[in-house]
Amino acid sequence: MLLSYVKFALGTFAHRKTRSLLTMIGIFIGIAAVVALIGLGEGLRGAIIGQFGFLGPDVLDIQASGLNFAGPPGTAVVKPLTEDLTEKVERIPGVEAAINRYIESGTMEFNDKQDIVFAWNMPEGKDRATLEGMLNLKVSQGRLLKDGDNLKVMVGSGFTDKDRFGKPVQLGNRILFKGVEFEVIGILEKKGSFIFDTALIMNEDVLVDNFREDGSVNVIAVKVKDVEAVDSVKTNIEQLLRKERDVKKGEEDFVVGSPEATLQTIDETIFGVQLFIYVIAAVAIIVGAIGITNTMYTAVLERTKEIGIMKSIGATNQTIFALFFIESGLLGLVGGLIGISAGFALSYSFAFLGRQILGSDLIQADIGIGLVLGSLFFSVLVGLLAGVIPAYKASKKHPVDSLRYAQ
Amino acid sequence: MGKAIIRLEQVWKVYSLGKVEVAALRGLNLDVKRGEFVAVMGPSGSGKSTAVNMIGCLDIPSKGRILLEDKDISHLSESALAQIRGKKIGFIFQQFNLISTLTALENVMLPMIFQDIPEDERRKKAWELLELVGLADRMQHKPSELSGGQQQRVAIARALANDPEVIIADEPTGNLDSKTGAMVLDFLKRLHKEEKRTIIMVTHDEQLAHAAERIEYLKDGIIVKSKVKLAK
Ligand SMILES: Nc1ncnc2c1ncn2[C@@H]1O[C@H](COP(=O)(O)OP(=O)(O)OP(=O)(O)O)[C@@H](O)[C@H]1O
Ligand SMILES: [Mg+2]
């Protein structure tokens, strides 16, 4: 029976396409905005997680603070960290490993073309395995670096893109980085993050000997033995660094952070943006709901005679209510469907534009099935709610008066 | 003849239009026996439609009783009335009153939807009824694509959808030319003769009224004259 009613409502619906479509604009805009922004937000979040490369509750990183807008982490600071700090940090109780991370920008030459790239280091000895594990580092071709590899590099998957240097970088190729010649011995798996995909990776002593005479280090990555102790270790590191760098509490020129905490901050930011969008979307949806109510009121009035006819051939009040109620829900459903499609289109084209303009993989769209189903459910719900009063009015119409209603 | 299927006892219907009250029926008494064909005549505004609408459970009286198969329907709720008219009453109106967005077939199926009849059964029955009224080739046409006579025949088929005991036709030929009107009347006569249905027909046309077994003349809300014809 319900199915018959739905079919009936669909029939009337198809008959009033233009009005129906106009009605759905509100719902459509609201749902499109929600889908597009949640989609982008999720994509952004995913990309940022990838960006860190490693995440875990037992990882901390130390950076000197200062100007740090454009380049990779820790490359443009006022007073850099130094290597001797790493050893001191490693001696703090509860620290499993403190690893120097050097990040070096410079000109790379390949196939007679030049471009600015950056390189970072793999530590020697047992720290190498620790870092490989933390970063989940794997090659798609060739091999990972090992101790004693001199003037050899692993390259990110981005270098296999032929556009960058006119032809793809391949295993065994020779490249120049800051005037030093390296041999490519491994190509990393694609990670979707520029930290990996557009980097050269070389052994620590190779990087230090050739490019880093001053003993400065960009990031100190710290692995903590016991997750429970992360906070106390962090406090101890901060204390040590304040002493070593001779700064007062509250005036630190360094940051001890955990990637997880950073992610939380980003989540909060995204949430803030999303909240704003939700408010706009909510307003659009309320306007949409009012639009549906209004359309349904008009429909009830216009179809007064039809209501009278249906009552005269046996439709009960409940039946009339159901017919208009379902029709209203359908308005919401179709509005939602169009909105979701538009949301898809919007977020993917935004993401595409963003990538073109910023040249970064950071902006991604990610629309899950949950979001789609949730939006559909919600738009039907809005349609149904908007239809309650008009459908009730329709159901209460007097049969004889309705039949007398002039069309 | 059998006993009364419909009985109106001292039925009043008063419409209030703001301060003014209009009494459309003023103590109407009427018996209709099962299988009878009754014509109702009278000047415009005499209360004919008001009376038959109440017989068809579309409305309830302000005062008095209406019995349908000995059941008092004068105080039933809207829903209860809807159930009864869906099952027992078939309406045919002057303006045809088909649903313009539905095809002929769908229009005939509609009363059966309201009675929860399964789709294939509905379709079969509607098909048969449209064949019966000679519209087998017009099933998929919308009302706007049909002539007045054809629309009224769809309406007759629709009135028969749930096999009603009583057919109420309020000026069924009022919007038709005399030839088409005669054809519609022929259908009503057949329903009466061959299927023994109770028919109540409102008409302004004395000639058409003579197809009935009995003519009731209404004026100012009461019956002023009855003319009974001997069964042929
Ligand atoms: N819903 C209503 N509200 C107010 N007055 C009404 C209503 N329905 C009918 N009336 C009045 O009741 C009286 C009887 O109306 P009714 O429609 O029954 O007449 P009728 O005999 O069918 O006339 P016609 O031959 O013109 O169809 C008229 O005076 C009419 O104006
Ligand atoms: Mg009338």
Side-chain angles (χ1 to χ4, degrees), chain A residues 175-241:
Chain A
I175 59 157
L176 279 178
F177 178 64
K178 292 183 113 168
V180 182
E181 195 182 77
F182 288 87
E183 184 196 347
V184 177
I185 54 106
I187 295 170
L188 295 179
E189 279 183 355
K190 186 171 164 55
K191 287 248 193 194
S193 150
F194 77 95
I195 287 277
F196 295 96
D197 294 347
T198 65
L200 302 176
I201 299 150
M202 57 190 66
N203 275 341
E204 182 164 329
D205 45 8
V206 178
L207 192 148
V208 172
D209 289 351
N210 285 288
F211 311 115
R212 203 57 83 89
E213 255 86 57
D214 62 355
S216 69
V217 52
N218 301 99
V219 179
I220 302 172
V222 180
K223 193 163 191 314
V224 179
K225 278 180 193 148
D226 178 6
V227 181
E228 303 286 309
V230 167
D231 284 340
S232 68
V233 170
K234 184 170 178 242
T235 314
N236 289 340
I237 294 175
E238 280 165 350
Q239 211 164 19
L240 173 81
L241 262 73

Side-chain angles (χ1 to χ4, degrees), chain A residues 96-334:
Chain A
E96 181 179 324
I99 300 168
N100 284 322
R101 307 212 59 205
Y102 301 90
I103 298 157
E104 190 68 24
S105 301
T107 311
M108 165 172 158
E109 201 179 312
F110 177 67
N111 191 31
D112 291 335
K113 291 206 163 64
Q114 294 189 339
D115 199 356
I116 304 286
V117 302
F118 65 94
W120 48 266
N121 65 297
M122 287 301 291
E124 322 269 332
K126 76 168 172 48
D127 285 349
R128 178 189 300 278
T130 310
L131 191 68
E132 280 171 2
M134 278 160 69
L135 302 183
N136 190 22
L137 217 54
K138 292 200 179 79
V139 286
S140 62
Q141 295 173 47
R143 61 171 176 83
L144 290 171
L145 285 168
K146 55 180 199 276
D147 286 1
D149 276 333
N150 193 19
L151 300 182
K152 301 214 159 81
V153 286
M154 304 188 283
V155 300
S157 65
F159 288 95
T160 57
D161 182 353
K162 71 170 174 1
D163 292 340
R164 188 135 187 214
F165 290 97
K167 67 177 193 187
V169 175
Q170 287 171 322
L171 281 184
N173 281 164
R174 293 184 180 271
I175 59 157
L176 279 178
F177 178 64
K178 292 183 113 168
V180 182
E181 195 182 77
F182 288 87
E183 184 196 347
V184 177
I185 54 106
I187 295 170
L188 295 179
E189 279 183 355
K190 186 171 164 55
K191 287 248 193 194
S193 150
F194 77 95
I195 287 277
F196 295 96
D197 294 347
T198 65
L200 302 176
I201 299 150
M202 57 190 66
N203 275 341
E204 182 164 329
D205 45 8
V206 178
L207 192 148
V208 172
D209 289 351
N210 285 288
F211 311 115
R212 203 57 83 89
E213 255 86 57
D214 62 355
S216 69
V217 52
N218 301 99
V219 179
I220 302 172
V222 180
K223 193 163 191 314
V224 179
K225 278 180 193 148
D226 178 6
V227 181
E228 303 286 309
V230 167
D231 284 340
S232 68
V233 170
K234 184 170 178 242
T235 314
N236 289 340
I237 294 175
E238 280 165 350
Q239 211 164 19
L240 173 81
L241 262 73
R242 273 197 295 273
K243 206 179 92 210
E244 290 294 322
R245 291 165 72 89
D246 197 20
V247 289
K248 291 198 191 75
K249 198 173 168 79
E251 291 171 6
E252 287 90 348
D253 56 354
F254 61 88
V255 187
V256 183
S258 63
E260 287 226 319
T262 314
L263 187 66
Q264 216 163 12
T265 315
I266 289 161
D267 270 351
E268 277 159 20
T269 313
I270 293 178
F271 179 73
V273 173
Q274 284 183 343
L275 196 67
F276 174 67
I277 301 303
Y278 285 147
V279 171
I280 293 175
V283 170
I285 286 168
I286 290 169
V287 170
I290 294 171
I292 290 184
T293 305
N294 187 51
T295 299
M296 291 308 296
Y297 261 123
T298 318
V300 169
L301 193 68
E302 276 181 352
R303 278 143 68 189
T304 299
K305 176 118 190 182
E306 198 176 300
I307 294 167
I309 296 170
M310 290 198 283
K311 287 196 159 187
S312 76
I313 58 175
T316 58
N317 290 4
Q318 294 94 305
T319 304
I320 301 294
F321 181 87
L323 287 176
F324 282 90
F325 190 56
I326 292 170
E327 186 175 330
S328 192
L330 278 175
L331 280 175
L333 175 71
V334 176

Side-chain angles (χ1 to χ4, degrees), chain A residues 16-64:
Chain A
R16 289 158 228 263
K17 279 185 213 95
T18 325
R19 164 102 50 66
S20 306
L21 282 175
L22 282 175
T23 304
M24 290 177 303
I25 285 178
I27 291 284
F28 151 77
I29 291 173
I31 295 290
V34 170
V35 168
L37 280 130
I38 298 186
L40 277 177
E42 282 300 306
L44 203 58
R45 193 174 180 279
I48 287 165
I49 293 173
Q51 207 72 34
F52 280 106
F54 52 93
L55 273 179
D58 57 350
V59 178
L60 293 171
D61 57 30
I62 308 170
Q63 288 178 39

